[in-house]
Amino acid sequence: ETGVTQTPRHLVMGMTNKKSLKCEQHLGHNAMYWYKQSAKKPLELMFVYNFKEQTENNSVPSRFSPECPNSSHLFLHLHTLQPEDSALYLCASSQGLLAGKESTDTQYFGPGTRLTVL
Amino acid sequence: SQKIEQNSEALNIQEGKTATLTCNYTNYSPAYLQWYRQDPGRGPVFLLLIRENEKEKRKERLKVTFDTTLKQSLFHITASQPADSATYLCALDPSQGGGGYQKVTFGIGTKLQVIP
């Protein structure tokens, strides 16, 4: 399997449930990202892991909890979500940049998980 | 505050014509700008990147221009086809390199519909 995969593709959960989204990249990349995409809004960066270390947390509520056990896998743990959290959650990976090294770093996205919170 | 503007309404064009999409930005000094394509229910797919010192970039039927004075990028699809129908996102990375990761900001996208 190639590229970036995400499971599940669709998820419906109640506000009291606990669930996890999974992302796996087969590109040998070192940086992984979680984005939220809501209708009529631009992509919102949630978390960034670079070389397995979390380097960005964009003021995301604590009901979203990321985990990056290795450079190929990324999880987003969900608990006590709200209906307004319903959205398309996208995972992406990129080569990753070393500090001080000028480069571009194209992102490769997974197909996303369509989350509905009831 | 930093802002990226794309015409979020749908752009309808006839098959065979050239589609031109616009990305305007304010309060950015991007090192480079990227264009992505997104189909419904799917993740964005990278198309083209243009650096701040480049005026134009081409790839097959795609052409991107970057005017840092106007703070604008234009994305052209020549000889458009119905299969080109999708939402096109522009993305800016204000970094000048380093920092360890890419903190890209995306526009809302423009939905292109190519009519047969």
Side-chain angles (χ1 to χ4, degrees), chain A residues 66-82:
Chain A
E67 179 189 359
C68 188
N70 55 61
S71 58
S72 299
H73 294 85
L74 185 65
F75 295 90
L76 187 62
H77 303 298
L78 316 171
H79 63 98
T80 59
L81 295 191
Q82 304 298 311

PDB file of all heavy atoms in Angstrom, chain A residues 66-82:
ATOM      1  N   PRO A  66      -3.550  13.894  20.359  1.00  0.00           N
ATOM      2  CA  PRO A  66      -2.775  13.200  19.334  1.00  0.00           C
ATOM      3  C   PRO A  66      -1.767  12.250  19.953  1.00  0.00           C
ATOM      4  O   PRO A  66      -1.362  12.394  21.113  1.00  0.00           O
ATOM      5  CB  PRO A  66      -2.068  14.349  18.614  1.00  0.00           C
ATOM      6  CG  PRO A  66      -1.825  15.351  19.700  1.00  0.00           C
ATOM      7  CD  PRO A  66      -2.997  15.234  20.641  1.00  0.00           C
ATOM      8  N   GLU A  67      -1.355  11.292  19.135  1.00  0.00           N
ATOM      9  CA  GLU A  67      -0.311  10.358  19.550  1.00  0.00           C
ATOM     10  C   GLU A  67       0.486   9.965  18.314  1.00  0.00           C
ATOM     11  O   GLU A  67      -0.100   9.649  17.270  1.00  0.00           O
ATOM     12  CB  GLU A  67      -0.920   9.107  20.186  1.00  0.00           C
ATOM     13  CG  GLU A  67       0.111   8.071  20.620  1.00  0.00           C
ATOM     14  CD  GLU A  67      -0.519   6.759  21.040  1.00  0.00           C
ATOM     15  OE1 GLU A  67      -1.757   6.641  21.018  1.00  0.00           O
ATOM     16  OE2 GLU A  67       0.252   5.827  21.352  1.00  0.00           O
ATOM     17  N   CYS A  68       1.786   9.983  18.445  1.00  0.00           N
ATOM     18  CA  CYS A  68       2.653   9.616  17.325  1.00  0.00           C
ATOM     19  C   CYS A  68       3.684   8.617  17.822  1.00  0.00           C
ATOM     20  O   CYS A  68       4.775   9.004  18.247  1.00  0.00           O
ATOM     21  CB  CYS A  68       3.329  10.859  16.751  1.00  0.00           C
ATOM     22  SG  CYS A  68       4.254  10.562  15.220  1.00  0.00           S
ATOM     23  N   PRO A  69       3.379   7.324  17.778  1.00  0.00           N
ATOM     24  CA  PRO A  69       4.287   6.311  18.326  1.00  0.00           C
ATOM     25  C   PRO A  69       5.553   6.127  17.497  1.00  0.00           C
ATOM     26  O   PRO A  69       6.582   5.716  18.038  1.00  0.00           O
ATOM     27  CB  PRO A  69       3.438   5.040  18.326  1.00  0.00           C
ATOM     28  CG  PRO A  69       2.412   5.278  17.265  1.00  0.00           C
ATOM     29  CD  PRO A  69       2.131   6.741  17.276  1.00  0.00           C
ATOM     30  N   ASN A  70       5.471   6.409  16.207  1.00  0.00           N
ATOM     31  CA  ASN A  70       6.645   6.327  15.329  1.00  0.00           C
ATOM     32  C   ASN A  70       6.397   7.223  14.127  1.00  0.00           C
ATOM     33  O   ASN A  70       5.300   7.763  13.966  1.00  0.00           O
ATOM     34  CB  ASN A  70       6.945   4.875  14.916  1.00  0.00           C
ATOM     35  CG  ASN A  70       5.752   4.215  14.276  1.00  0.00           C
ATOM     36  OD1 ASN A  70       5.264   4.663  13.237  1.00  0.00           O
ATOM     37  ND2 ASN A  70       5.247   3.142  14.907  1.00  0.00           N
ATOM     38  N   SER A  71       7.382   7.348  13.288  1.00  0.00           N
ATOM     39  CA  SER A  71       7.271   8.326  12.195  1.00  0.00           C
ATOM     40  C   SER A  71       6.275   7.912  11.121  1.00  0.00           C
ATOM     41  O   SER A  71       5.956   8.694  10.245  1.00  0.00           O
ATOM     42  CB  SER A  71       8.649   8.563  11.557  1.00  0.00           C
ATOM     43  OG  SER A  71       9.178   7.345  11.070  1.00  0.00           O
ATOM     44  N   SER A  72       5.771   6.672  11.184  1.00  0.00           N
ATOM     45  CA  SER A  72       4.834   6.206  10.164  1.00  0.00           C
ATOM     46  C   SER A  72       3.375   6.256  10.609  1.00  0.00           C
ATOM     47  O   SER A  72       2.480   6.140   9.774  1.00  0.00           O
ATOM     48  CB  SER A  72       5.161   4.760   9.748  1.00  0.00           C
ATOM     49  OG  SER A  72       6.447   4.671   9.195  1.00  0.00           O
ATOM     50  N   HIS A  73       3.148   6.385  11.909  1.00  0.00           N
ATOM     51  CA  HIS A  73       1.790   6.296  12.432  1.00  0.00           C
ATOM     52  C   HIS A  73       1.431   7.521  13.259  1.00  0.00           C
ATOM     53  O   HIS A  73       2.237   8.040  14.019  1.00  0.00           O
ATOM     54  CB  HIS A  73       1.629   5.048  13.313  1.00  0.00           C
ATOM     55  CG  HIS A  73       1.745   3.763  12.556  1.00  0.00           C
ATOM     56  ND1 HIS A  73       2.968   3.168  12.298  1.00  0.00           N
ATOM     57  CD2 HIS A  73       0.795   2.980  11.979  1.00  0.00           C
ATOM     58  CE1 HIS A  73       2.756   2.062  11.610  1.00  0.00           C
ATOM     59  NE2 HIS A  73       1.452   1.913  11.401  1.00  0.00           N
ATOM     60  N   LEU A  74       0.180   7.925  13.093  1.00  0.00           N
ATOM     61  CA  LEU A  74      -0.341   9.075  13.834  1.00  0.00           C
ATOM     62  C   LEU A  74      -1.775   8.763  14.219  1.00  0.00           C
ATOM     63  O   LEU A  74      -2.545   8.259  13.405  1.00  0.00           O
ATOM     64  CB  LEU A  74      -0.286  10.339  12.968  1.00  0.00           C
ATOM     65  CG  LEU A  74      -0.680  11.662  13.606  1.00  0.00           C
ATOM     66  CD1 LEU A  74       0.299  12.044  14.712  1.00  0.00           C
ATOM     67  CD2 LEU A  74      -0.739  12.767  12.555  1.00  0.00           C
ATOM     68  N   PHE A  75      -2.107   9.053  15.466  1.00  0.00           N
ATOM     69  CA  PHE A  75      -3.466   8.818  15.949  1.00  0.00           C
ATOM     70  C   PHE A  75      -4.056  10.134  16.449  1.00  0.00           C
ATOM     71  O   PHE A  75      -3.335  11.050  16.867  1.00  0.00           O
ATOM     72  CB  PHE A  75      -3.459   7.799  17.103  1.00  0.00           C
ATOM     73  CG  PHE A  75      -3.022   6.429  16.706  1.00  0.00           C
ATOM     74  CD1 PHE A  75      -1.669   6.079  16.771  1.00  0.00           C
ATOM     75  CD2 PHE A  75      -3.940   5.484  16.283  1.00  0.00           C
ATOM     76  CE1 PHE A  75      -1.244   4.806  16.409  1.00  0.00           C
ATOM     77  CE2 PHE A  75      -3.523   4.202  15.921  1.00  0.00           C
ATOM     78  CZ  PHE A  75      -2.178   3.866  15.979  1.00  0.00           C
ATOM     79  N   LEU A  76      -5.371  10.188  16.399  1.00  0.00           N
ATOM     80  CA  LEU A  76      -6.089  11.296  17.032  1.00  0.00           C
ATOM     81  C   LEU A  76      -7.168  10.677  17.902  1.00  0.00           C
ATOM     82  O   LEU A  76      -8.120  10.075  17.404  1.00  0.00           O
ATOM     83  CB  LEU A  76      -6.706  12.218  15.972  1.00  0.00           C
ATOM     84  CG  LEU A  76      -7.347  13.500  16.503  1.00  0.00           C
ATOM     85  CD1 LEU A  76      -6.297  14.384  17.188  1.00  0.00           C
ATOM     86  CD2 LEU A  76      -8.027  14.285  15.385  1.00  0.00           C
ATOM     87  N   HIS A  77      -6.977  10.791  19.218  1.00  0.00           N
ATOM     88  CA  HIS A  77      -7.924  10.226  20.175  1.00  0.00           C
ATOM     89  C   HIS A  77      -8.995  11.258  20.479  1.00  0.00           C
ATOM     90  O   HIS A  77      -8.689  12.433  20.734  1.00  0.00           O
ATOM     91  CB  HIS A  77      -7.202   9.797  21.444  1.00  0.00           C
ATOM     92  CG  HIS A  77      -6.095   8.823  21.204  1.00  0.00           C
ATOM     93  ND1 HIS A  77      -6.306   7.574  20.653  1.00  0.00           N
ATOM     94  CD2 HIS A  77      -4.750   8.928  21.411  1.00  0.00           C
ATOM     95  CE1 HIS A  77      -5.142   6.933  20.554  1.00  0.00           C
ATOM     96  NE2 HIS A  77      -4.190   7.733  21.001  1.00  0.00           N
ATOM     97  N   LEU A  78     -10.219  10.797  20.446  1.00  0.00           N
ATOM     98  CA  LEU A  78     -11.373  11.691  20.591  1.00  0.00           C
ATOM     99  C   LEU A  78     -12.190  11.292  21.810  1.00  0.00           C
ATOM    100  O   LEU A  78     -12.460  10.096  22.009  1.00  0.00           O
ATOM    101  CB  LEU A  78     -12.271  11.592  19.349  1.00  0.00           C
ATOM    102  CG  LEU A  78     -11.580  11.583  17.988  1.00  0.00           C
ATOM    103  CD1 LEU A  78     -12.595  11.253  16.891  1.00  0.00           C
ATOM    104  CD2 LEU A  78     -10.905  12.911  17.733  1.00  0.00           C
ATOM    105  N   HIS A  79     -12.585  12.260  22.619  1.00  0.00           N
ATOM    106  CA  HIS A  79     -13.483  11.936  23.738  1.00  0.00           C
ATOM    107  C   HIS A  79     -14.299  13.153  24.115  1.00  0.00           C
ATOM    108  O   HIS A  79     -13.826  14.286  24.065  1.00  0.00           O
ATOM    109  CB  HIS A  79     -12.685  11.409  24.937  1.00  0.00           C
ATOM    110  CG  HIS A  79     -11.727  12.415  25.507  1.00  0.00           C
ATOM    111  ND1 HIS A  79     -12.010  13.183  26.614  1.00  0.00           N
ATOM    112  CD2 HIS A  79     -10.476  12.775  25.136  1.00  0.00           C
ATOM    113  CE1 HIS A  79     -10.975  13.950  26.900  1.00  0.00           C
ATOM    114  NE2 HIS A  79     -10.027  13.722  26.013  1.00  0.00           N
ATOM    115  N   THR A  80     -15.548  12.876  24.475  1.00  0.00           N
ATOM    116  CA  THR A  80     -16.529  13.909  24.843  1.00  0.00           C
ATOM    117  C   THR A  80     -16.563  15.041  23.831  1.00  0.00           C
ATOM    118  O   THR A  80     -16.415  16.227  24.165  1.00  0.00           O
ATOM    119  CB  THR A  80     -16.284  14.472  26.259  1.00  0.00           C
ATOM    120  OG1 THR A  80     -14.979  15.045  26.341  1.00  0.00           O
ATOM    121  CG2 THR A  80     -16.447  13.381  27.284  1.00  0.00           C
ATOM    122  N   LEU A  81     -16.711  14.677  22.562  1.00  0.00           N
ATOM    123  CA  LEU A  81     -16.754  15.688  21.507  1.00  0.00           C
ATOM    124  C   LEU A  81     -18.096  16.404  21.487  1.00  0.00           C
ATOM    125  O   LEU A  81     -19.077  15.946  22.093  1.00  0.00           O
ATOM    126  CB  LEU A  81     -16.495  15.046  20.148  1.00  0.00           C
ATOM    127  CG  LEU A  81     -15.113  14.445  19.930  1.00  0.00           C
ATOM    128  CD1 LEU A  81     -14.935  14.089  18.461  1.00  0.00           C
ATOM    129  CD2 LEU A  81     -14.006  15.381  20.375  1.00  0.00           C
ATOM    130  N   GLN A  82     -18.113  17.516  20.758  1.00  0.00           N
ATOM    131  CA  GLN A  82     -19.307  18.324  20.613  1.00  0.00           C
ATOM    132  C   GLN A  82     -19.794  18.242  19.163  1.00  0.00           C
ATOM    133  O   GLN A  82     -19.005  17.955  18.257  1.00  0.00           O
ATOM    134  CB  GLN A  82     -18.992  19.788  20.958  1.00  0.00           C
ATOM    135  CG  GLN A  82     -18.402  19.979  22.340  1.00  0.00           C
ATOM    136  CD  GLN A  82     -19.364  19.542  23.429  1.00  0.00           C
ATOM    137  OE1 GLN A  82     -20.529  19.936  23.413  1.00  0.00           O
ATOM    138  NE2 GLN A  82     -18.891  18.736  24.370  1.00  0.00           N
TER     139      GLN A  82
END
